[in-house]
Amino acid sequence: MAQVVKISEEVLIKELKAQKPSAFEYLYDNYSAAIYGVIIRIVKTEEVAQEVLHDVFMKAWKNINAYSAEKGRLYTWLVNISRNASIDKLRSKEIKNTSKTDSVSDNVHTIDNANSTEQSIDGIGLEKVLDKLSDELRFVIDQMYFKGYTQTEISEEFDIPLGTVKTRARTAMRTLRELLL
């Protein structure tokens, strides 16, 4: 049985900045599952999630010198890269064109598969808090924070007036803040 070697985040960062391939392997082996969970939650399809995961680790490898421990942990930095890359992918013409031509049954199948493989948000108690929101407020939060839509995109895609979307988002955030305090 192979012995698992643990290294500190500080050492890992130093080795990544020195461009050591073994550090990249360690980074991928120890962080990819969690990062994949963040990505699949946003993009919803395995094929796209795998592509984004690859892109995230390549960006991290190439831009490791941009990482600053004073701004947060390495994991947080990777999550931010993942979230941004996932949203960028969803907004890309490639994905928008593909999603417009998918059949309804394909979308239902994709959503079912994504739900079975993604990490449940209930694991951190968020599901119970979100359940306290009205359907309209929860819908806007789901679209903005879990699917990467902007308020304008929600308005256009779901034919809801932009002012209504903004009001619902503001009301939902105020309600969530009150529930969490």
Side-chain angles (χ1 to χ4, degrees):
M1 187 167 142
Q3 185 177 10
V4 177
V5 177
K6 289 262 188 195
I7 61 174
S8 71
E9 187 171 291
E10 185 178 303
V11 171
L12 176 60
I13 293 164
K14 186 183 291 185
E15 289 184 4
L16 286 168
K17 287 184 177 187
Q19 296 288 291
K20 291 187 177 181
S22 61
F24 181 77
E25 288 176 28
Y26 184 89
L27 179 74
Y28 188 85
D29 290 346
N30 288 280
Y31 289 81
S32 63
I35 297 303
Y36 181 81
V38 170
I39 295 167
I40 194 75
R41 182 89 185 128
I42 297 169
V43 300
K44 302 291 187 201
T45 60
E46 285 187 45
E47 182 179 325
V48 175
Q50 289 292 339
E51 184 179 333
V52 173
L53 182 68
H54 177 266
D55 292 346
V56 166
F57 278 90
M58 292 312 297
K59 282 181 186 177
W61 177 249
K62 290 177 184 174
N63 299 316
I64 189 64
N65 288 320
Y67 168 75
S68 171
E70 291 82 37
K71 293 181 181 178
R73 298 184 53 97
L74 180 62
Y75 175 74
T76 305
W77 184 68
L78 290 170
V79 167
N80 286 331
I81 293 172
S82 302
R83 185 177 183 281
N84 292 338
S86 298
I87 291 170
D88 288 348
K89 190 64 166 178
L90 285 178
R91 291 179 179 164
S92 71
K93 287 184 180 182
E94 167 193 353
I95 297 299
K96 285 190 178 196
N97 289 340
T98 301
S99 65
K100 287 179 183 174
T101 60
D102 284 347
S103 71
V104 172
S105 63
D106 287 345
N107 286 334
V108 170
H109 178 70
T110 300
I111 290 168
D112 286 344
N113 282 344
N115 287 338
S116 67
T117 60
E118 69 190 29
Q119 181 181 6
S120 171
I121 62 172
D122 192 39
I124 58 173
L126 190 55
E127 188 73 34
K128 290 178 185 172
V129 176
L130 291 175
D131 280 343
K132 294 180 181 178
L133 295 176
S134 68
D135 290 341
E136 295 85 12
L137 299 181
R138 183 176 176 144
F139 175 78
V140 170
I141 294 300
D142 282 341
Q143 298 305 311
M144 287 174 55
Y145 292 97
F146 299 118
K147 296 182 181 166
Y149 281 85
T150 65
Q151 291 177 344
T152 303
E153 289 171 335
I154 294 170
S155 173
E156 292 170 358
E157 184 76 22
F158 301 101
D159 198 29
I160 302 170
L162 181 58
T164 303
V165 173
K166 289 182 176 192
T167 300
R168 289 177 183 172
R170 190 172 42 253
T171 304
M173 295 307 291
R174 188 179 318 118
T175 304
L176 288 171
R177 191 176 307 115
E178 291 169 4
L179 290 170
L180 294 171
L181 291 178

